[in-house]
Amino acid sequence: MAILLSTKASAMEAWRDALLELDPSLEIRMFPEAGDPADIEAAVCWTSHDMGELRRYPNLRLIVSMGAGVDHLLRPPGPPPGIPVARLVDHRLTTGMTEWVLLNVLRFHRQDPDYRALQAARVWEELPAPETSSARRIGILGLGELGAASAKALLSLGFPVMGWSRRPKAIEGVEGFHGPEGLEAMLPRTDILVCLLPLTPGTRGVINARSLALLPRGAFLINGARGGHVVQPDLLAALDSGQIAGAALDVFEPEPLPADHPFWGHPKVILTPHAASITIPRSAAPQVVENIRRSREGRSLINLVDFAAGY
Ligand code: OXD
């Protein structure tokens, strides 16, 4: 039996090598060279792979999605029914996202965009000292793996951290909010809003004209989750009016962000090309191999996607 591997061309060989290093007996077929469809027992694939295509493999028993987010699996046609799907829960992915969130919180907290603008104009000027971290309130949307790790890192730097999730969640030191009323209560107290939510029908467009208006004037936005969480024209309007003082954005809809999109040249937008946290095959491969073994032995799988919850 064989494993079908499908991701962007530049990552294919690193993934194959990482899997073979852990289990040299694996037979890896790199898409589109799948060989006989009946040989494929597991598909390890990412967003570029058409889920409809996986219906071609009659003996498929496991799908592993090569990332943390699963929103691409929720869209039609979705994975073949009845086949378990696991996602990655990877320490390196979590650490990468925490670093990116800290980078941007500190950037906004320490007035870095203003100092960069002064440097570009060759102006030697000291800006009024920023508040201490204890006066800069952070609101995190999403308290899953990524949100909880960022919350803890921000707490350790002295920032007061609030967190919003669909259901109540307790994280030591984090003031928790949940449900629509919780969001309305948290936003007016949030100086820097960090979005790390899964994208589901319930969270699509959560950052919109109304929620942005609930933030204090001059608040900042950091989005490392999915472009679909933000109503992009509403964010542009809030940036232009000064309601939002700056936004650090890693994710967009669509991706790649079209070259003529106003975010590219916007003086208040810092953008990265969906690179806040990148999966490192060597770090993520052990859980993939573990799931292949478990699937062969009929044992329960790890990091299974909960399709009802949407993550
Ligand atoms: C992920 C991503 O979900 O890279 O892992 O966006």
Side-chain angles (χ1 to χ4, degrees):
M1 297 301 280
I3 313 299
L4 182 71
L5 188 61
S6 175
T7 184
K8 56 180 184 225
S10 57
M12 207 71 136
E13 287 185 6
W15 264 102
R16 182 200 54 197
D17 295 350
L19 294 171
L20 287 178
E21 200 170 297
L22 291 166
D23 185 348
S25 73
L26 291 176
E27 184 176 341
I28 311 267
R29 308 243 174 108
M30 299 207 280
F31 188 79
E33 309 297 330
D36 181 351
D39 293 346
I40 303 297
E41 61 172 319
V44 180
C45 50
W46 188 223
T47 49
S48 54
H49 199 91
D50 167 20
M51 287 294 125
E53 199 274 341
L54 294 183
R55 287 162 171 75
R56 269 189 356 104
Y57 307 105
N59 296 315
L60 188 68
R61 289 202 302 261
L62 166 69
I63 298 169
V64 180
S65 179
M66 295 154 116
V70 301
D71 43 294
H72 61 289
L73 301 170
L74 304 176
R75 290 193 294 267
I83 311 286
V85 183
R87 68 185 183 108
L88 298 185
V89 178
D90 176 41
H91 173 69
R92 180 66 194 80
L93 261 185
T94 307
T95 309
M97 185 56 81
T98 304
E99 289 169 355
W100 184 80
V101 168
L102 288 184
L103 170 73
N104 288 298
V105 166
L106 291 175
R107 219 199 277 267
F108 290 138
H109 173 59
R110 294 302 307 259
Q111 304 152 299
D112 194 55
D114 297 335
Y115 278 115
R116 298 285 68 80
L118 289 170
Q119 180 181 353
R122 296 173 182 257
V123 175
W124 181 272
E125 184 188 324
E126 184 186 291
L127 298 171
E131 302 274 12
T132 64
S133 59
S134 62
R136 188 84 73 173
R137 302 158 303 174
I138 315 289
I140 301 184
L141 300 177
L143 290 177
E145 289 286 324
L146 301 179
S150 285
K152 286 177 196 154
L154 289 162
L155 282 173
S156 75
L157 291 179
F159 291 98
V161 179
M162 298 171 286
W164 180 80
S165 47
R166 207 163 59 112
R167 300 215 187 87
K169 250 188 202 161
I171 297 179
E172 200 183 332
V174 177
E175 188 179 351
F177 296 83
H178 67 276
E181 325 72 50
L183 189 59
E184 300 223 341
M186 186 179 88
L187 292 177
R189 295 169 50 197
T190 296
D191 300 312
I192 302 181
L193 182 66
V194 179
C195 179
L196 293 173
L197 283 166
L199 183 63
T200 67
T203 63
R204 174 167 284 283
V206 65
I207 300 169
N208 53 37
R210 187 176 141 66
S211 52
L212 291 168
L214 285 171
L215 291 164
R217 190 168 174 80
F220 298 95
L221 171 69
I222 296 174
N223 186 16
R226 286 291 183 262
H229 288 116
V230 176
V231 179
Q232 294 180 162
D234 292 2
L235 175 58
L236 277 169
L239 287 164
D240 291 340
S241 74
Q243 168 62 13
I244 298 299
L249 307 173
D250 185 57
V251 284
F252 305 88
E253 219 174 68
E255 290 182 6
L257 186 67
D260 60 353
H261 195 283
F263 281 153
W264 279 108
H266 201 291
K268 293 183 184 166
V269 172
I270 295 163
L271 73 80
T272 42
H274 201 142
S277 187
I278 296 170
T279 305
I280 312 282
R282 275 230 166 125
S283 165
Q287 62 188 285
V288 177
V289 171
E290 174 67 17
N291 262 338
I292 293 169
R293 287 198 184 123
R294 285 173 177 242
S295 163
R296 284 179 177 171
E297 292 162 11
R299 290 190 287 134
S300 59
L301 303 173
I302 53 172
N303 305 329
L304 276 181
V305 175
D306 177 348
F307 280 91
Y311 47 82

